[in-house]
Amino acid sequence: MRYISTRGDAPALGFEDVLLTGLATDGGLYVPESLPHFSLEEIRSWRGLPYADLAFNVMYPFVEDAIPADDFRTMLHDTYKVFSHDAVAPLVQLDSNEWVLELFRGPTLAFKDFALQLLGRLLDYVLEKRNQHVVIMGATSGDTGSAAIEGCRRCEHVDIFILHPYQRVSEVQRRQMTTVMGDNIHNIAVKGNFDDCQRMVKESFGNQGFLGGKTQLAAVNSINWARIMAQIVYYFQASLALGGPDRSMAFSVPTGNFGDIFAGYLARKMGLPISQLVIATNRNDILHRFMSGNKYEQHQLEHTLSPSMDIMVSSNFERLLFDLHGRDGAAVKALLENAAKGPVSIEDYRWKHARKLFDSDAVDDKTTCDTIREIYQRNEYLLDPHTAIGVRAARNCRRDPAVPMITLGTAHPAKFPDAIAESGLSVKPQLPAHMADLFEREERYTVLDNNVAEVQGFIAKHWKNA
């Protein structure tokens, strides 16, 4: 399988090179030249499979040119055996036809573990084979950083530098990153917001001269195709558990960077019956404003109780725009260049085509807290603020009550105790046993100004072979 850029001006690459490259040389994102497609009969035959075996069936077409089947199977079993629930992604019922898909049973209690536990193993495999070293540079709005560090900290051929917005992630999120010690692990707190961090990462990938030609950058953000690939699997898992593919499903996805919901879009294109995808956002609602009114316009970023979605520049949305424009890279490039200058819209027929599948909603902090409290009082089930936004958006946007509605539960509530407290509940979410001493562990991170040259200088000085 070959991978092409969403901007149409970069060479097509194989899986190994896409894994290590991240951003294409023309500034675009890599997507498969074509997608595998599974028949209903084939999907039906996967019912009851353990998660790792299902993951193999869904993902192997994307990597088969680079990794032998037995090696990939082993990698997947090693990846998902560290999760704390045998089902890996269990479903919890909220109402007669409403569910939460728990994606926080991994080591860092967030959905990012599904992809980043695998990504670390993929990087180790490929870099060992190539006898190559890379520097991982990533930005996090809260959860990607800890999942990336946990997934990659044992990689012998990697130095990892994670940027997070200073004082704009929860304390649990910060400590999950900054208490992991290792000579190859570096946490940078940038005096800015997530979009500033993400911009620095993209700029650095576009010009890697600060590394002196001695190594290259690799991506852990959802610009890396391997992240998206791994997230496709749990849409199949949830559907099969509730009667799919013989009945269609609807999913509500708390999302800021559009990667997690784009994985659902791909699952549908690969043959899984999905009738509705709900984009659930907070006050940073650029995706909602586009999907509800065909206007893509950046506003001032706001700090909310759901910090992992405090994002205004939604990187993976480019991958959807590529499809909506008939995979015309030049058209996507022109649109995004215009979007950097002011509001843009797409042709009405393209927008209406997207609306056949997608709905959206923006949920403020008060409504988020109301939802946390309401669900707990009715079900004694505690939602984190991101999942609460997904549940509220699902209820506001639901098209057909007969279709199962599945909200992706993206994080453990213990990561966001302030939001739980603000909801008025007296219950205090507890961290699991392996994190019980988190607040007693030593922290290590560096605070830097919102300046790309300063950040690049820090990386150039501190990677292992500098």
Side-chain angles (χ1 to χ4, degrees):
M1 181 177 287
R2 305 291 286 173
Y3 294 84
I4 58 175
S5 169
T6 52
R7 301 196 187 181
D9 247 353
L13 300 178
F15 178 77
E16 281 191 16
D17 290 319
V18 164
L19 176 72
L20 298 178
T21 301
L23 204 63
T25 54
D26 59 2
L29 306 182
Y30 277 107
V31 292
E33 204 164 36
S34 60
L35 285 172
H37 189 274
F38 307 116
S39 68
L40 296 182
E41 183 179 7
E42 190 172 6
I43 297 170
R44 194 179 296 119
S45 73
W46 298 342
R47 284 179 181 163
L49 284 181
Y51 191 91
D53 293 337
L54 175 63
F56 177 86
N57 290 341
V58 173
M59 284 194 278
Y60 193 61
F62 295 113
V63 306
E64 61 184 339
D65 295 338
I67 305 174
D70 287 346
D71 289 351
F72 193 54
R73 283 187 193 277
T74 299
M75 206 180 295
L76 291 170
H77 281 272
D78 289 346
T79 293
Y80 297 113
K81 74 182 181 184
V82 303
F83 281 58
S84 65
H85 196 291
D86 286 344
V88 182
L91 283 157
V92 172
Q93 191 167 9
L94 294 185
D95 209 334
S96 57
N97 212 14
E98 184 182 14
W99 308 78
V100 170
L101 180 65
E102 292 190 339
L103 301 177
F104 47 78
R105 300 297 190 129
T108 72
L109 314 183
F111 79 97
K112 310 289 177 75
D113 286 325
F114 279 83
L116 288 164
Q117 283 292 311
L118 175 60
L119 182 64
R121 289 167 170 84
L122 287 167
L123 285 171
D124 235 11
Y125 183 91
V126 170
L127 292 170
E128 177 69 26
K129 185 166 75 169
R130 293 185 170 202
N131 192 27
Q132 185 178 345
H133 185 280
V134 297
V135 170
I136 287 175
M137 183 181 183
T140 184
S141 55
D143 290 328
T144 292
S146 57
I149 289 168
E150 185 64 33
C152 300
R153 63 178 175 148
R154 296 180 184 87
C155 295
E156 295 182 9
H157 303 274
V158 163
D159 282 285
I160 183 165
F161 294 80
I162 296 295
L163 284 59
H164 73 267
Y166 182 51
Q167 296 181 336
R168 292 194 175 189
V169 300
S170 79
E171 186 176 6
V172 172
Q173 287 177 312
R174 188 192 74 240
R175 286 178 174 274
Q176 281 185 292
M177 294 185 282
T178 61
T179 59
V180 181
M181 300 298 161
D183 291 341
N184 67 331
I185 298 168
H186 304 274
N187 284 284
I188 300 172
V190 174
K191 293 179 181 177
N193 58 43
F194 170 75
D195 285 342
D196 295 323
C197 298
Q198 185 166 250
R199 173 183 49 78
M200 289 184 190
V201 171
K202 287 184 176 181
E203 190 172 326
S204 299
F205 269 86
N207 183 1
Q208 301 187 26
F210 68 97
L211 293 171
K214 299 176 184 176
T215 186
Q216 72 174 73
L217 293 180
V220 291
N221 280 60
S222 53
I223 60 173
N224 192 313
W225 164 254
R227 284 273 308 270
I228 305 294
M229 173 185 79
Q231 291 168 328
I232 296 170
V233 179
Y234 45 69
Y235 288 90
F236 281 86
Q237 164 87 347
S239 174
L240 287 164
L242 296 178
D246 297 321
R247 62 196 302 212
S248 188
M249 302 288 155
F251 291 89
S252 178
V253 186
T255 189
N257 229 356
F258 204 76
D260 210 10
I261 197 164
F262 185 72
Y265 166 81
L266 292 177
R268 184 176 185 266
K269 291 192 73 174
M270 291 164 66
L272 187 68
I274 296 175
S275 59
Q276 184 186 17
L277 289 171
V278 178
I279 299 167
T281 71
N282 59 22
R283 291 199 310 274
N284 299 297
D285 61 349
I286 187 170
L287 293 172
H288 169 58
R289 285 183 281 111
F290 173 83
M291 202 56 68
S292 60
N294 192 12
K295 189 175 184 181
Y296 191 82
E297 180 183 20
Q298 295 179 29
H299 289 175
Q300 185 70 32
L301 196 73
E302 296 188 48
H303 186 44
T304 74
L305 290 173
S306 45
S308 298
M309 299 195 298
D310 288 349
I311 297 169
M312 193 58 69
V313 181
S314 186
S315 290
N316 284 290
F317 192 54
E318 180 169 338
R319 286 180 159 123
L320 178 66
L321 290 172
F322 185 56
D323 273 11
L324 293 177
H325 286 81
R327 312 205 108 195
D328 181 345
V332 171
K333 182 180 179 182
L335 179 72
L336 293 173
E337 285 175 351
N338 288 331
K341 303 169 189 173
V344 296
S345 300
I346 64 175
E347 291 90 341
D348 194 56
Y349 76 93
R350 299 188 196 277
W351 176 72
K352 286 179 178 175
H353 179 71
R355 284 302 312 269
K356 289 179 181 177
L357 176 63
F358 290 98
D359 287 291
S360 65
D361 196 18
V363 180
D364 62 21
D365 280 352
K366 180 183 182 303
T367 309
T368 300
C369 290
D370 290 345
T371 306
I372 291 171
R373 184 174 61 255
E374 174 191 333
I375 295 298
Y376 187 79
Q377 288 173 345
R378 293 287 300 171
N379 297 32
E380 291 192 3
Y381 185 73
L382 198 55
L383 301 171
D384 91 286
H386 306 80
T387 308
I389 287 172
V391 168
R392 179 59 62 187
R395 293 180 172 187
N396 289 346
C397 297
R398 193 169 191 176
R399 296 178 184 177
D400 185 352
V403 174
M405 174 60 79
I406 304 162
T407 294
L408 270 54
T410 53
H412 194 290
K415 300 187 82 162
F416 305 97
D418 291 346
I420 306 303
E422 196 155 328
S423 71
L425 294 174
S426 57
V427 61
K428 192 170 183 179
Q430 297 298 310
L431 288 165
H434 75 278
M435 285 188 194
D437 64 344
L438 181 65
F439 290 90
E440 297 151 28
R441 299 175 191 173
E442 177 190 352
E443 284 192 89
R444 188 178 66 188
Y445 62 99
T446 303
V447 181
L448 297 179
D449 287 333
N450 186 4
N451 181 292
V452 67
E454 187 173 342
V455 169
Q456 289 177 345
F458 181 88
I459 294 172
K461 182 180 178 181
H462 289 91
W463 72 276
K464 193 181 305 179
N465 297 320

